[in-house]
Amino acid sequence: MQGGAGTVKGAGFANSEIYQSVLNEKSISYYKPLDMKEGLPPLPEPWQSKVKTVDTTKLPFHVGQERAYLVTFQQGQLKALHHQIQLTYLKDKDEYGRYGNEFFIIRMTEVAQDPFANLKGVKDIDLFGNKLEQGYIIEGVPYYHHIIQTNGAYVYKYYGYDEVKQLVNLTVTSANEINFYWDGIHYQIAYLVDGNRVNRKVEKQMVALARAFVQG
């Protein structure tokens, strides 16, 4: 990754609206996304054991595109280079030839502090009246699962890639989210399945996938 190898133009930074884990990001560098069938982008040593691909047969839809995005940035006044990686699994193209009608996305962001450290008295519904389920991904690591059940929801943004312009950009939508912090990383796992129709089986399936990803 030295010398800007593999970098492309980009616009925007994918941060959580619910849990602002990165403040004053700057010096953002975007790397051309890779097809995960061909491998993952080069990562620093501590990350190599944490990032792995997902078994797509475990997803509730047929995956048509799977890409890994790597972004580096600096946070506030800190000079250290931070990393962010997004693993994107999009359903086959719809009748209009577009991906993203359904998706499963894992984003891992290296953060300076635990964004959940000061959360107190968390209720079982969020600001929009959607269900907020809490549990543990692994022992001692709580997760916060926002499940859309109303017409309103937090904004969710994820990276996409314009092949013609060779530009990394942001898609803005809404999604169910599973958020947690572990070992210096904010995990933001989002999914959109069947128009976000309430489906308890899918909800449990997504938590199981998140837990399996962390446990390896």
Side-chain angles (χ1 to χ4, degrees):
M1 296 188 299
Q2 295 180 354
T7 56
V8 293
K9 294 181 180 179
F13 182 78
N15 199 6
S16 170
E17 184 188 17
I18 313 174
Y19 308 104
Q20 289 287 316
S21 56
V22 178
L23 300 176
N24 304 317
E25 67 277 358
K26 59 183 182 180
S27 302
I28 305 171
S29 292
Y30 308 86
Y31 293 80
K32 185 175 181 179
L34 296 179
D35 186 329
M36 280 186 276
K37 294 177 182 177
E38 300 175 1
L40 294 170
L43 293 166
E45 182 64 33
W47 281 69
Q48 292 177 13
S49 61
K50 298 177 181 179
V51 182
K52 70 281 292 185
T53 56
V54 170
D55 181 356
T56 57
T57 64
K58 302 291 186 182
L59 293 172
F61 55 81
H62 186 269
V63 175
Q65 183 187 98
E66 45 188 293
R67 283 179 171 170
Y69 293 80
L70 174 63
V71 174
T72 60
F73 64 98
Q74 290 178 315
Q75 185 173 352
Q77 300 302 311
L78 300 176
K79 294 183 179 180
L81 191 66
H82 288 65
H83 296 79
Q84 182 184 63
I85 189 165
Q86 177 185 291
L87 308 180
T88 304
Y89 299 88
L90 305 181
K91 185 181 178 180
D92 288 324
K93 291 181 179 179
D94 61 18
E95 62 270 28
Y96 303 104
R98 299 175 300 192
Y99 289 113
N101 185 45
E102 297 188 21
F103 60 75
F104 177 77
I105 298 172
I106 298 175
R107 185 157 55 245
M108 303 167 64
T109 306
E110 191 175 13
V111 295
Q113 57 188 15
D114 181 354
F116 309 101
N118 297 318
L119 281 185
K120 295 180 180 179
V122 180
K123 299 180 180 180
D124 58 1
I125 58 172
D126 66 17
L127 181 65
F128 293 91
N130 295 313
K131 181 179 178 181
L132 174 52
E133 179 185 84
Q134 300 172 65
Y136 290 90
I137 286 292
I138 58 174
E139 184 176 356
V141 179
Y143 70 78
Y144 304 89
H145 188 181
H146 291 256
I147 303 166
I148 297 177
Q149 296 181 322
T150 72
N151 292 325
Y154 290 98
V155 171
Y156 176 71
K157 300 177 181 180
Y158 66 90
Y159 295 115
Y161 187 64
D162 187 319
E163 297 281 1
V164 176
K165 297 181 180 179
Q166 295 189 337
L167 173 74
V168 173
N169 51 30
L170 288 178
T171 295
V172 180
T173 184
S174 59
N176 304 292
E177 292 188 33
I178 302 169
N179 284 269
F180 57 95
Y181 170 86
W182 183 49
D183 197 19
I185 296 175
H186 174 194
Y187 291 78
Q188 185 182 18
I189 298 173
Y191 62 95
L192 172 61
V193 176
D194 192 21
N196 269 344
R197 187 174 301 169
V198 176
N199 187 322
R200 186 58 181 159
K201 180 180 178 181
V202 169
E203 294 166 18
K204 291 181 177 180
Q205 186 178 5
M206 297 298 106
V207 173
L209 282 170
R211 186 171 285 125
F213 182 82
V214 171
Q215 294 177 337

